[in-house]
Amino acid sequence: MTIFERIILRQIPADIVFEDDELIAFRDIEPKAPVHILLVPKRHIANINELKETDTLMIGRLVLRASEIARTEGIAESGYRLVINCNRDGGQSVDHVHVHILGGRPMKWPPG
Ligand code: 5GP
């Protein structure tokens, strides 16, 4: 079981900012920006390589929800970045699909 499943099951604490039947969002424990939230599907999917056609609606809602969270956090107008890391070279460290919502400061491009 990954750390995110344990957060979903309330086995370990997290600062949860949003939750419904399908998704959960909580603040990253090591924030890389003033706003750093992880938005996570509750169903375990290891990484975005594992997504199936039947996940299309869920992924659409994930992006929509991310934009709503950005608005709630007050970073929608100043701007923000959504990041999905995948596997080793992508910098993925938790094998459960998640979107990073990062904002509250200017982001550099290209990423390191
Ligand atoms: P990844 O590197 O897989 O894209 O992102 C995983 C993220 O999960 C990292 O930014 C890391 O700081 C965060 N993280 C790891 N363990 C925990 C935890 O126990 N609680 C919370 N809230 N975030 C965590």
Side-chain angles (χ1 to χ4, degrees), residues 3-4 7 12-14 26-30 32 36 38 85 91-94 98 100:
I3 199 94
F4 292 171
I7 288 172
I12 59 168
F26 46 88
R27 296 189 194 282
D28 198 291
I29 205 166
E30 285 181 44
K32 282 80 179 174
H36 187 175
L38 302 170
N85 296 324
Q92 184 177 7
S93 60
V94 177
H98 51 284
H100 297 258

PDB file of all heavy atoms in Angstrom, residues 3-4 7 12-14 26-30 32 36 38 85 91-94 98 100, ligand 1:
ATOM      1  N   ILE A   3       1.720   5.414   0.518  1.00  0.00           N
ATOM      2  CA  ILE A   3       1.429   6.406   1.555  1.00  0.00           C
ATOM      3  C   ILE A   3       0.108   7.122   1.264  1.00  0.00           C
ATOM      4  O   ILE A   3      -0.640   7.474   2.186  1.00  0.00           O
ATOM      5  CB  ILE A   3       2.625   7.400   1.664  1.00  0.00           C
ATOM      6  CG1 ILE A   3       2.611   8.133   2.982  1.00  0.00           C
ATOM      7  CG2 ILE A   3       2.685   8.353   0.521  1.00  0.00           C
ATOM      8  CD1 ILE A   3       3.463   7.479   4.010  1.00  0.00           C
ATOM      9  N   PHE A   4      -0.222   7.291  -0.022  1.00  0.00           N
ATOM     10  CA  PHE A   4      -1.461   8.004  -0.353  1.00  0.00           C
ATOM     11  C   PHE A   4      -2.685   7.160  -0.008  1.00  0.00           C
ATOM     12  O   PHE A   4      -3.699   7.694   0.447  1.00  0.00           O
ATOM     13  CB  PHE A   4      -1.476   8.412  -1.834  1.00  0.00           C
ATOM     14  CG  PHE A   4      -0.469   9.471  -2.182  1.00  0.00           C
ATOM     15  CD1 PHE A   4      -0.232   9.817  -3.506  1.00  0.00           C
ATOM     16  CD2 PHE A   4       0.248  10.146  -1.199  1.00  0.00           C
ATOM     17  CE1 PHE A   4       0.697  10.798  -3.835  1.00  0.00           C
ATOM     18  CE2 PHE A   4       1.183  11.124  -1.516  1.00  0.00           C
ATOM     19  CZ  PHE A   4       1.406  11.445  -2.840  1.00  0.00           C
ATOM     20  N   ILE A   7      -3.267   7.616   3.559  1.00  0.00           N
ATOM     21  CA  ILE A   7      -3.928   8.907   3.834  1.00  0.00           C
ATOM     22  C   ILE A   7      -5.426   8.797   3.525  1.00  0.00           C
ATOM     23  O   ILE A   7      -6.267   9.238   4.313  1.00  0.00           O
ATOM     24  CB  ILE A   7      -3.255  10.042   3.018  1.00  0.00           C
ATOM     25  CG1 ILE A   7      -1.866  10.343   3.599  1.00  0.00           C
ATOM     26  CG2 ILE A   7      -4.141  11.289   2.988  1.00  0.00           C
ATOM     27  CD1 ILE A   7      -1.026  11.306   2.780  1.00  0.00           C
ATOM     28  N   ILE A  12      -2.890   7.594   8.248  1.00  0.00           N
ATOM     29  CA  ILE A  12      -1.937   8.641   8.618  1.00  0.00           C
ATOM     30  C   ILE A  12      -2.583   9.993   8.329  1.00  0.00           C
ATOM     31  O   ILE A  12      -3.402  10.108   7.414  1.00  0.00           O
ATOM     32  CB  ILE A  12      -0.573   8.494   7.913  1.00  0.00           C
ATOM     33  CG1 ILE A  12      -0.721   8.524   6.407  1.00  0.00           C
ATOM     34  CG2 ILE A  12       0.162   7.248   8.349  1.00  0.00           C
ATOM     35  CD1 ILE A  12       0.610   8.665   5.708  1.00  0.00           C
ATOM     36  N   PRO A  13      -2.235  11.004   9.112  1.00  0.00           N
ATOM     37  CA  PRO A  13      -2.901  12.298   8.965  1.00  0.00           C
ATOM     38  C   PRO A  13      -2.413  13.072   7.744  1.00  0.00           C
ATOM     39  O   PRO A  13      -1.285  12.865   7.262  1.00  0.00           O
ATOM     40  CB  PRO A  13      -2.520  13.033  10.256  1.00  0.00           C
ATOM     41  CG  PRO A  13      -1.264  12.390  10.720  1.00  0.00           C
ATOM     42  CD  PRO A  13      -1.269  10.974  10.225  1.00  0.00           C
ATOM     43  N   ALA A  14      -3.278  13.946   7.259  1.00  0.00           N
ATOM     44  CA  ALA A  14      -2.903  14.858   6.181  1.00  0.00           C
ATOM     45  C   ALA A  14      -3.816  16.073   6.293  1.00  0.00           C
ATOM     46  O   ALA A  14      -4.907  15.993   6.865  1.00  0.00           O
ATOM     47  CB  ALA A  14      -3.063  14.185   4.828  1.00  0.00           C
ATOM     48  N   PHE A  26      -4.833  17.015  -0.680  1.00  0.00           N
ATOM     49  CA  PHE A  26      -4.225  17.381   0.608  1.00  0.00           C
ATOM     50  C   PHE A  26      -2.919  18.112   0.341  1.00  0.00           C
ATOM     51  O   PHE A  26      -2.322  17.988  -0.743  1.00  0.00           O
ATOM     52  CB  PHE A  26      -3.992  16.139   1.485  1.00  0.00           C
ATOM     53  CG  PHE A  26      -3.361  14.971   0.786  1.00  0.00           C
ATOM     54  CD1 PHE A  26      -1.992  14.842   0.710  1.00  0.00           C
ATOM     55  CD2 PHE A  26      -4.152  13.997   0.169  1.00  0.00           C
ATOM     56  CE1 PHE A  26      -1.401  13.779   0.053  1.00  0.00           C
ATOM     57  CE2 PHE A  26      -3.574  12.922  -0.506  1.00  0.00           C
ATOM     58  CZ  PHE A  26      -2.199  12.804  -0.551  1.00  0.00           C
ATOM     59  N   ARG A  27      -2.462  18.860   1.355  1.00  0.00           N
ATOM     60  CA  ARG A  27      -1.232  19.643   1.185  1.00  0.00           C
ATOM     61  C   ARG A  27      -0.013  18.732   1.226  1.00  0.00           C
ATOM     62  O   ARG A  27       0.048  17.806   2.038  1.00  0.00           O
ATOM     63  CB  ARG A  27      -1.133  20.725   2.274  1.00  0.00           C
ATOM     64  CG  ARG A  27      -2.244  21.733   2.145  1.00  0.00           C
ATOM     65  CD  ARG A  27      -2.093  22.951   3.036  1.00  0.00           C
ATOM     66  NE  ARG A  27      -3.378  23.657   3.068  1.00  0.00           N
ATOM     67  CZ  ARG A  27      -3.827  24.452   2.088  1.00  0.00           C
ATOM     68  NH1 ARG A  27      -3.054  24.709   1.046  1.00  0.00           N
ATOM     69  NH2 ARG A  27      -5.021  25.024   2.163  1.00  0.00           N
ATOM     70  N   ASP A  28       0.928  19.036   0.322  1.00  0.00           N
ATOM     71  CA  ASP A  28       2.163  18.262   0.280  1.00  0.00           C
ATOM     72  C   ASP A  28       2.948  18.470   1.575  1.00  0.00           C
ATOM     73  O   ASP A  28       3.045  19.585   2.103  1.00  0.00           O
ATOM     74  CB  ASP A  28       3.012  18.703  -0.924  1.00  0.00           C
ATOM     75  CG  ASP A  28       4.081  17.678  -1.283  1.00  0.00           C
ATOM     76  OD1 ASP A  28       5.035  17.520  -0.477  1.00  0.00           O
ATOM     77  OD2 ASP A  28       3.971  17.053  -2.344  1.00  0.00           O
ATOM     78  N   ILE A  29       3.523  17.396   2.081  1.00  0.00           N
ATOM     79  CA  ILE A  29       4.252  17.452   3.357  1.00  0.00           C
ATOM     80  C   ILE A  29       5.568  18.225   3.235  1.00  0.00           C
ATOM     81  O   ILE A  29       6.070  18.772   4.218  1.00  0.00           O
ATOM     82  CB  ILE A  29       4.486  16.019   3.897  1.00  0.00           C
ATOM     83  CG1 ILE A  29       4.664  16.016   5.406  1.00  0.00           C
ATOM     84  CG2 ILE A  29       5.635  15.324   3.177  1.00  0.00           C
ATOM     85  CD1 ILE A  29       4.560  14.638   6.031  1.00  0.00           C
ATOM     86  N   GLU A  30       6.104  18.303   2.018  1.00  0.00           N
ATOM     87  CA  GLU A  30       7.334  19.076   1.757  1.00  0.00           C
ATOM     88  C   GLU A  30       7.046  20.052   0.622  1.00  0.00           C
ATOM     89  O   GLU A  30       7.461  19.808  -0.520  1.00  0.00           O
ATOM     90  CB  GLU A  30       8.493  18.149   1.348  1.00  0.00           C
ATOM     91  CG  GLU A  30       9.102  17.373   2.489  1.00  0.00           C
ATOM     92  CD  GLU A  30      10.270  16.500   1.993  1.00  0.00           C
ATOM     93  OE1 GLU A  30      11.100  16.985   1.188  1.00  0.00           O
ATOM     94  OE2 GLU A  30      10.313  15.335   2.402  1.00  0.00           O
ATOM     95  N   LYS A  32       6.884  22.655  -2.241  1.00  0.00           N
ATOM     96  CA  LYS A  32       7.870  23.251  -3.148  1.00  0.00           C
ATOM     97  C   LYS A  32       7.433  24.633  -3.623  1.00  0.00           C
ATOM     98  O   LYS A  32       8.086  25.247  -4.483  1.00  0.00           O
ATOM     99  CB  LYS A  32       8.113  22.342  -4.353  1.00  0.00           C
ATOM    100  CG  LYS A  32       9.031  21.140  -4.087  1.00  0.00           C
ATOM    101  CD  LYS A  32       8.296  20.029  -3.401  1.00  0.00           C
ATOM    102  CE  LYS A  32       9.176  18.797  -3.152  1.00  0.00           C
ATOM    103  NZ  LYS A  32       8.446  17.783  -2.353  1.00  0.00           N
ATOM    104  N   HIS A  36       1.056  24.139  -2.424  1.00  0.00           N
ATOM    105  CA  HIS A  36       1.458  22.858  -3.021  1.00  0.00           C
ATOM    106  C   HIS A  36       0.495  21.787  -2.516  1.00  0.00           C
ATOM    107  O   HIS A  36       0.596  21.322  -1.372  1.00  0.00           O
ATOM    108  CB  HIS A  36       2.908  22.506  -2.664  1.00  0.00           C
ATOM    109  CG  HIS A  36       3.414  21.294  -3.395  1.00  0.00           C
ATOM    110  ND1 HIS A  36       4.716  20.854  -3.299  1.00  0.00           N
ATOM    111  CD2 HIS A  36       2.800  20.416  -4.240  1.00  0.00           C
ATOM    112  CE1 HIS A  36       4.883  19.784  -4.051  1.00  0.00           C
ATOM    113  NE2 HIS A  36       3.726  19.481  -4.622  1.00  0.00           N
ATOM    114  N   LEU A  38      -1.639  18.121  -3.446  1.00  0.00           N
ATOM    115  CA  LEU A  38      -1.660  16.898  -4.244  1.00  0.00           C
ATOM    116  C   LEU A  38      -3.110  16.481  -4.423  1.00  0.00           C
ATOM    117  O   LEU A  38      -3.844  16.353  -3.436  1.00  0.00           O
ATOM    118  CB  LEU A  38      -0.875  15.787  -3.538  1.00  0.00           C
ATOM    119  CG  LEU A  38       0.581  16.119  -3.226  1.00  0.00           C
ATOM    120  CD1 LEU A  38       1.186  15.050  -2.316  1.00  0.00           C
ATOM    121  CD2 LEU A  38       1.397  16.262  -4.503  1.00  0.00           C
ATOM    122  N   ASN A  85       4.130  13.649 -12.428  1.00  0.00           N
ATOM    123  CA  ASN A  85       5.390  12.962 -12.664  1.00  0.00           C
ATOM    124  C   ASN A  85       5.120  11.489 -12.965  1.00  0.00           C
ATOM    125  O   ASN A  85       4.197  10.896 -12.405  1.00  0.00           O
ATOM    126  CB  ASN A  85       6.283  13.074 -11.428  1.00  0.00           C
ATOM    127  CG  ASN A  85       6.680  14.511 -11.140  1.00  0.00           C
ATOM    128  OD1 ASN A  85       6.899  15.290 -12.055  1.00  0.00           O
ATOM    129  ND2 ASN A  85       6.756  14.882  -9.875  1.00  0.00           N
ATOM    130  N   GLY A  91      10.553  11.701 -12.141  1.00  0.00           N
ATOM    131  CA  GLY A  91      10.672  12.115 -10.745  1.00  0.00           C
ATOM    132  C   GLY A  91       9.538  11.639  -9.862  1.00  0.00           C
ATOM    133  O   GLY A  91       9.268  12.225  -8.820  1.00  0.00           O
ATOM    134  N   GLN A  92       8.867  10.550 -10.280  1.00  0.00           N
ATOM    135  CA  GLN A  92       7.767  10.037  -9.455  1.00  0.00           C
ATOM    136  C   GLN A  92       8.323   9.256  -8.275  1.00  0.00           C
ATOM    137  O   GLN A  92       9.137   8.349  -8.453  1.00  0.00           O
ATOM    138  CB  GLN A  92       6.856   9.132 -10.305  1.00  0.00           C
ATOM    139  CG  GLN A  92       5.633   8.648  -9.538  1.00  0.00           C
ATOM    140  CD  GLN A  92       4.683   7.815 -10.405  1.00  0.00           C
ATOM    141  OE1 GLN A  92       5.003   7.491 -11.552  1.00  0.00           O
ATOM    142  NE2 GLN A  92       3.541   7.470  -9.858  1.00  0.00           N
ATOM    143  N   SER A  93       7.872   9.605  -7.074  1.00  0.00           N
ATOM    144  CA  SER A  93       8.357   8.892  -5.888  1.00  0.00           C
ATOM    145  C   SER A  93       7.253   8.111  -5.180  1.00  0.00           C
ATOM    146  O   SER A  93       7.543   7.241  -4.369  1.00  0.00           O
ATOM    147  CB  SER A  93       9.011   9.876  -4.906  1.00  0.00           C
ATOM    148  OG  SER A  93       8.077  10.849  -4.490  1.00  0.00           O
ATOM    149  N   VAL A  94       5.995   8.427  -5.464  1.00  0.00           N
ATOM    150  CA  VAL A  94       4.876   7.671  -4.884  1.00  0.00           C
ATOM    151  C   VAL A  94       4.100   7.038  -6.034  1.00  0.00           C
ATOM    152  O   VAL A  94       3.622   7.745  -6.935  1.00  0.00           O
ATOM    153  CB  VAL A  94       3.952   8.585  -4.037  1.00  0.00           C
ATOM    154  CG1 VAL A  94       2.768   7.790  -3.510  1.00  0.00           C
ATOM    155  CG2 VAL A  94       4.728   9.230  -2.888  1.00  0.00           C
ATOM    156  N   HIS A  98      -1.072  11.121  -9.088  1.00  0.00           N
ATOM    157  CA  HIS A  98      -1.403  12.361  -8.390  1.00  0.00           C
ATOM    158  C   HIS A  98      -0.986  13.548  -9.236  1.00  0.00           C
ATOM    159  O   HIS A  98      -0.003  13.485  -9.973  1.00  0.00           O
ATOM    160  CB  HIS A  98      -0.718  12.429  -7.018  1.00  0.00           C
ATOM    161  CG  HIS A  98       0.758  12.165  -7.050  1.00  0.00           C
ATOM    162  ND1 HIS A  98       1.289  10.905  -7.194  1.00  0.00           N
ATOM    163  CD2 HIS A  98       1.818  13.010  -6.979  1.00  0.00           C
ATOM    164  CE1 HIS A  98       2.615  10.982  -7.183  1.00  0.00           C
ATOM    165  NE2 HIS A  98       2.956  12.253  -7.059  1.00  0.00           N
ATOM    166  N   HIS A 100       0.235  17.434  -8.925  1.00  0.00           N
ATOM    167  CA  HIS A 100       0.721  18.515  -8.060  1.00  0.00           C
ATOM    168  C   HIS A 100       0.069  19.813  -8.530  1.00  0.00           C
ATOM    169  O   HIS A 100       0.118  20.135  -9.715  1.00  0.00           O
ATOM    170  CB  HIS A 100       2.242  18.691  -8.188  1.00  0.00           C
ATOM    171  CG  HIS A 100       3.050  17.506  -7.761  1.00  0.00           C
ATOM    172  ND1 HIS A 100       3.695  17.450  -6.545  1.00  0.00           N
ATOM    173  CD2 HIS A 100       3.333  16.336  -8.386  1.00  0.00           C
ATOM    174  CE1 HIS A 100       4.357  16.300  -6.437  1.00  0.00           C
ATOM    175  NE2 HIS A 100       4.150  15.600  -7.543  1.00  0.00           N
TER     176      HIS A 100
HETATM  177  P1  5GP B   1       6.082  12.564  -6.734  1.00  0.00           P
HETATM  178  O1  5GP B   1       7.534  12.759  -6.436  1.00  0.00           O
HETATM  179  O2  5GP B   1       5.689  11.089  -6.684  1.00  0.00           O
HETATM  180  O3  5GP B   1       5.596  13.245  -7.977  1.00  0.00           O
HETATM  181  O4  5GP B   1       5.306  13.308  -5.570  1.00  0.00           O
HETATM  182  C1  5GP B   1       5.101  12.750  -4.314  1.00  0.00           C
HETATM  183  C2  5GP B   1       4.858  13.878  -3.347  1.00  0.00           C
HETATM  184  O5  5GP B   1       4.299  13.332  -2.163  1.00  0.00           O
HETATM  185  C3  5GP B   1       6.120  14.640  -2.936  1.00  0.00           C
HETATM  186  O6  5GP B   1       6.015  16.005  -3.293  1.00  0.00           O
HETATM  187  C4  5GP B   1       6.195  14.440  -1.426  1.00  0.00           C
HETATM  188  O7  5GP B   1       6.642  15.579  -0.738  1.00  0.00           O
HETATM  189  C5  5GP B   1       4.750  14.073  -1.073  1.00  0.00           C
HETATM  190  N1  5GP B   1       4.622  13.213   0.088  1.00  0.00           N
HETATM  191  C6  5GP B   1       5.343  12.098   0.359  1.00  0.00           C
HETATM  192  N2  5GP B   1       4.930  11.552   1.506  1.00  0.00           N
HETATM  193  C7  5GP B   1       3.914  12.326   1.968  1.00  0.00           C
HETATM  194  C8  5GP B   1       3.081  12.259   3.135  1.00  0.00           C
HETATM  195  O8  5GP B   1       3.175  11.386   3.976  1.00  0.00           O
HETATM  196  N3  5GP B   1       2.146  13.235   3.263  1.00  0.00           N
HETATM  197  C9  5GP B   1       1.986  14.241   2.356  1.00  0.00           C
HETATM  198  N4  5GP B   1       1.036  15.134   2.580  1.00  0.00           N
HETATM  199  N5  5GP B   1       2.758  14.323   1.242  1.00  0.00           N
HETATM  200  C10 5GP B   1       3.710  13.385   1.067  1.00  0.00           C
END
